[in-house]
Amino acid sequence: MHDKTLAELARSLDAGEFSSRELTQHLLGRIDRLDGELNCFITVTFDQALAAADAADKSRAAGKAGPLTGLPLALKDIFCTRDVRTTAGSRMLDNFISPYDATVVEKLATAGTVSLGKTNMDEFAMGSSNENSHYGPVKNPWDLAAVPGGSSGGSAAAVAAGLVPAAIGTDTGGSIRQPAAFCGITGLKPTYGRVSRYGMIAYASSLDQAGPMARTAEDCALLLSAMAGHDLHDSTCVARGVPDYTEELDTPLAGLKIGLPREYFGDGLAPEVEAAMRDAVKAFESLGASVREVSLPHTHYAIPAYYVIAPAEASSNLSRYDGVRFGHRCDSPSDLIDLYKRSRAEGFGDEVKRRILIGTHTLSEGFFDAYYKKAQQVRRLIRQDFLDAFEEVDVLMGPASPTPAFDLGAKKDPVSMYLQDIYTIAINLAGIPGMSVPAGFVGNRPVGLQILGNHFAEARLLNVAHQFQQATDWHRHRPAFAEENA
Ligand code: GLN
């Protein structure tokens, strides 16, 4: 059961091969047995999951099942859930129980999905390895010595290990695509504004976006169809109809124009990753696509621009954690300033503090023009690069990450970690959608192909990824860890 995709599970439920309760129990049993080693989950919601599964079985029996009814998934612990704590991977929110559900959570529950729990993540989604979590690192099921990627590392590893068929992540600078690549699964970051951010704990509000992580593009299409849509609670959420994202999956790719950004195949790209990319591109050519080189000339400035803008927004968003209203509060403060200082010093980890300091600095009166304003101008140029490229081609392709998963503990200085984001971060600055799909291995560690489209081109991206998955079987490989623990 734990090997199947959402689409396959839905067919099995329809055929009465097993019930949602049986499926849920089976997966909860795996989590119980295997997650001690992997650390994918911060909270497992055994009772709520079984209750939701029973409700789903009832509505199926009554002939009211939709495409996702009774299907289990997990939620990154950044989505607020009523009655279940939401930590954002931080000591600051260790005791936080939201009074309401995030819009995404509500929509997925309405669609009949069964949440098994809340997954581990880098603190406040800041990181590329899941090593910044207050709850400890997550291990990559493909190789327990490797990181799963970040910040949605728990979500990616849980899917790869067969603990859950799908999980929801968030992506501010790559946090869905990079862990999907490192764990050999399929992940989609939608267009900024496609999915509501209401109830999603804010890191950098102009970049954050929620998206699906699953085994296949087809499963991502099923989930996105349920997650997307206008929400009056989020003023940046776009009022635009939501298509059925599964409808275009089967469109043939003949005539598809693929662009390969020159800047994504240069220095720093591991040769084995490049070879996997070239093979993937050949597979598309044999499906009838044409390929040409394009240029995204401002790529080089994406990391510096992001690491000004994201910390600036984070420093503002995280000012709400003051020890007064909710979250961690220090013991016996002597006065208000002591309360603020010690609550924040104790509640936040090092990387979060570093970014608050950077953001406060770049937003300060004397430095605002030199840093924040300049970074916003650069951001506009980066966006224009993509708009120009999409005048010539339908999609862009390249690696999701310059290397496969690195070892736990391998990257000690923050800048070498930031450089991980070279191929993912510009996409968030431009607001366009991007996917990572499994496209090979280096040794036993997976490699992800990144596919990018113009704003609101999700249906096209999913179609392109699905056709690739009809022609290749990288997404069907399972880690030895999952097979040994079948
Ligand atoms: N690795 C990037 C960062 O540390 C992106 C994280 C994310 O997408 N949430 O900010």
Side-chain angles (χ1 to χ4, degrees):
M1 281 188 234
H2 56 264
D3 245 4
K4 297 192 178 199
T5 67
L6 290 177
E8 290 164 354
L9 289 169
R11 284 194 285 276
S12 296
L13 291 174
D14 276 341
E17 287 165 29
F18 42 79
S19 65
S20 176
R21 170 173 264 268
E22 285 164 337
L23 172 61
T24 302
Q25 270 171 332
H26 173 71
L27 295 174
L28 288 171
R30 283 180 69 76
I31 294 171
D32 197 35
R33 200 150 48 86
L34 305 176
D35 201 43
E37 174 95 46
L38 297 173
N39 202 25
C40 300
F41 282 85
I42 293 175
T43 305
V44 182
T45 48
F46 291 93
D47 298 341
Q48 289 97 326
L50 290 173
D54 287 341
D57 284 332
K58 251 195 215 137
S59 62
R60 184 173 301 277
K64 290 195 219 130
L68 290 173
T69 301
L71 296 178
L73 48 72
L75 303 165
K76 184 176 183 177
D77 204 16
I78 199 168
F79 294 98
C80 285
T81 43
R82 202 176 44 219
D83 304 330
V84 176
R85 73 174 176 156
T86 301
T87 69
S90 182
R91 181 176 183 211
M92 183 57 89
L93 291 176
D94 185 54
N95 62 4
F96 173 61
I97 296 184
S98 160
Y100 63 93
D101 280 331
T103 298
V104 164
V105 173
E106 200 179 274
K107 279 179 178 280
L108 289 168
T110 306
T113 65
V114 174
S115 170
L116 304 189
K118 312 285 295 285
T119 55
N120 204 342
M121 56 179 284
D122 282 303
E123 186 177 7
F124 286 102
M126 298 177 190
S128 309
S129 70
N130 218 113
E131 293 169 295
N132 294 337
S133 170
H134 172 62
Y135 302 91
V138 176
K139 290 185 186 160
N140 188 323
W142 289 94
D143 185 338
L144 300 183
V147 302
S151 64
S152 312
S155 289
V159 174
L163 304 185
V164 71
I168 309 303
T170 65
D171 190 314
T172 304
S175 281
I176 287 176
R177 291 160 287 153
Q178 185 252 24
F182 281 12
C183 290
I185 67 164
T186 307
L188 166 66
K189 182 208 88 82
T191 305
Y192 183 78
R194 177 72 291 193
V195 175
S196 170
R197 290 181 299 109
Y198 181 69
M200 198 172 105
I201 292 179
Y203 160 22
S205 309
S206 76
L207 302 159
D208 298 341
Q209 191 63 195
M213 304 173 79
R215 299 210 162 94
T216 62
E218 181 182 24
D219 285 1
C220 288
L222 284 166
L223 289 168
L224 184 64
S225 302
M227 293 166 67
H230 189 220
D231 180 8
L232 291 173
H233 291 306
D234 172 5
S235 61
T236 62
C237 189
V238 175
R240 182 176 173 124
V242 180
D244 175 347
Y245 286 104
T246 61
E247 260 169 18
E248 283 180 42
L249 292 176
D250 293 325
T251 308
L253 297 189
L256 179 77
K257 286 187 254 166
I258 299 174
L260 302 182
R262 186 178 311 141
E263 295 77 6
Y264 287 28
F265 289 86
D267 283 351
L269 177 60
E272 303 95 319
V273 175
E274 170 159 10
M277 297 301 108
R278 303 275 177 205
D279 287 347
V281 169
K282 276 193 208 121
F284 281 105
E285 280 174 322
S286 61
L287 293 172
S290 64
V291 179
R292 75 170 83 158
E293 192 178 85
V294 297
S295 178
L296 302 169
H298 298 92
T299 298
H300 190 60
Y301 302 107
I303 289 183
Y306 173 91
Y307 280 99
V308 170
I309 292 168
E313 295 184 14
S315 73
S316 162
N317 277 323
L318 271 57
S319 66
R320 74 191 65 172
Y321 305 106
D322 55 7
V324 177
R325 287 163 294 185
F326 59 92
H328 178 74
R329 177 180 297 174
C330 67
D331 283 335
S332 34
S334 58
D335 58 23
L336 187 63
I337 297 298
D338 184 45
L339 168 77
Y340 290 158
K341 276 192 181 161
R342 281 201 291 126
S343 298
R344 286 169 71 81
E346 293 165 8
F348 291 136
D350 288 347
E351 184 60 27
V352 172
K353 286 177 188 160
R354 184 177 296 123
R355 297 198 191 189
I356 291 173
L357 284 173
I358 296 171
T360 309
H361 178 73
T362 57
L363 290 177
S364 61
E365 203 187 334
F367 294 98
F368 181 88
D369 284 350
Y371 291 113
Y372 187 74
K373 196 169 150 208
K374 181 65 85 188
Q376 291 290 17
Q377 290 164 337
V378 171
R379 179 179 190 170
R380 185 66 182 83
L381 296 173
I382 288 169
R383 178 183 157 99
Q384 195 60 45
D385 282 355
F386 286 105
L387 298 181
D388 292 345
F390 290 125
E391 294 280 318
E392 288 179 41
V393 296
D394 303 314
V395 292
L396 297 169
M397 289 187 190
S401 171
T403 63
F406 45 90
D407 285 349
L408 283 154
K411 294 204 190 294
K412 301 235 173 348
D413 75 296
V415 174
S416 75
M417 194 71 89
Y418 300 168
L419 291 174
Q420 267 300 307
D421 304 330
I422 175 78
Y423 304 131
T424 50
I425 250 171
I427 284 73
N428 302 71
L429 290 169
I432 60 172
M435 289 188 77
S436 178
V437 297
F441 291 87
V442 177
N444 60 351
R445 300 186 186 186
V447 171
L449 168 75
Q450 190 175 207
I451 310 173
L452 307 173
N454 212 339
H455 296 106
F456 297 102
E458 283 83 358
R460 188 59 161 157
L461 286 190
L462 288 160
N463 161 231
V464 169
H466 179 69
Q467 290 303 309
F468 181 69
Q469 293 183 332
Q470 300 306 106
T472 60
D473 70 353
W474 300 118
H475 61 290
R476 290 211 181 83
H477 291 239
R478 298 287 177 262
F481 180 87
E483 273 163 18
E484 282 155 21
N485 294 295

